[in-house]
Amino acid sequence: MVSPVLYALLASPILYAAWNKLLRRRRTSVIPRNQERVIILGASSGIGRSTALQYAAAGAKLCIVGRRQAELDKVKAECLQARKSGADSASILSIVADFTSPEDMVRLRSELESVWSGIDTLIVSAGVSAIRPLLDLAGLAKPRSVDSTEQVSAEQMHRTVNTVNRAMKGNFEGPLVAALAFIPLLQFSSRSPSILLVSSLGAALPAPTRSVYAASKAAALLLYQSLAIEHPAIAFTWVMPSTVQGNFRSTAVDRVDGPDIYKETKEGLKQEVVARRCIEAVDNGEKHVFMPAPFCRSGQAMYWWIPWATEGIARRKYNFAS
């Protein structure tokens, strides 16, 4: 006799797929793609740029936001080219703004209220990298040596804290300000409001040399997870990819001259693949999205069940073994 628990386990993938399909149909029927008002923070490069191109090709009303005018102009031109049908001046907007600046976000919000009377989808894709071990960042000559008696001075601590604050500003303060600026607008202006946070596997699974980056990304992830409970009218999604191809490492707040660790990453997930999954997740109303799912989910499970094994594998991979 098959137990009810087994029946439930066998049926759950089918039920989940059916639920996703129904939810997708509901949102797209409420807000057709050519009526969807999408704002992308951090659209001048990387995953944000790829997401913008795909939304533009699908016909959505699009506002791309970034700090660099020249880069935004390039992306807007690409979006106009990707658009399959003609686009009027209000269907693709490009606005220079810093998402860590409350004044910039209020200005951006006022512009969107004036042109579109609100928004439906907020994509928070901006962020910065940090890839040096904490004590190496502090300036210790041999931070991993048990034979070294060197310690961190007050001056080194201040310098390290300043660098960490830059990471927190880009990876936590920015998403915080964006949430403050746009949650109320989403709630009263959209029939199906959605927010997507482009996070990182590092926010859910620790890795060597990523302590500062992981901490800042995890802070934003937990913020949005809490906001999802506080604002049930909005569908929240967070996408947590592993390594993504591109030059994201060049944004590192702990960058120093010399090492090639900041060069372009040629291995990993393609930006356009992550962008496609982001849009799919928003349409489906998904909550947690790991990429690639099997690797990330198994890594997370291993860390919780056998942390010593996960830590040992990571130490050997990154040459931290004692």
Side-chain angles (χ1 to χ4, degrees), residues 27 29 43 64 100 110-111 174 191 226 238 242 247 264 285 308:
R27 187 167 200 254
S29 63
I64 56 175
T100 68
S110 298
E111 180 71 14
R191 292 166 291 172
S226 297
W238 28 88
S242 59
N247 60 355
E264 181 179 356
W308 53 269

Side-chain angles (χ1 to χ4, degrees), residues 299-317:
Q300 190 182 39
M302 278 186 63
Y303 179 67
W304 284 107
W305 286 102
I306 45 174
W308 53 269
T310 308
E311 291 173 354
I313 293 170
R315 287 192 186 103
R316 287 192 293 272
K317 179 179 179 180

Side-chain angles (χ1 to χ4, degrees), residues 84-128:
K84 295 178 181 178
S85 58
D88 58 43
S89 59
S91 65
I92 298 182
L93 308 174
S94 65
I95 299 176
V96 176
D98 183 343
F99 80 145
T100 68
S101 166
E103 290 76 17
D104 280 7
M105 290 300 98
V106 169
R107 172 174 55 83
L108 174 62
R109 182 180 65 196
S110 298
E111 180 71 14
L112 293 173
E113 283 188 281
S114 174
V115 178
W116 289 348
S117 301
I119 59 175
D120 300 299
T121 306
L122 170 65
I123 309 290
V124 182
S125 183
V128 296

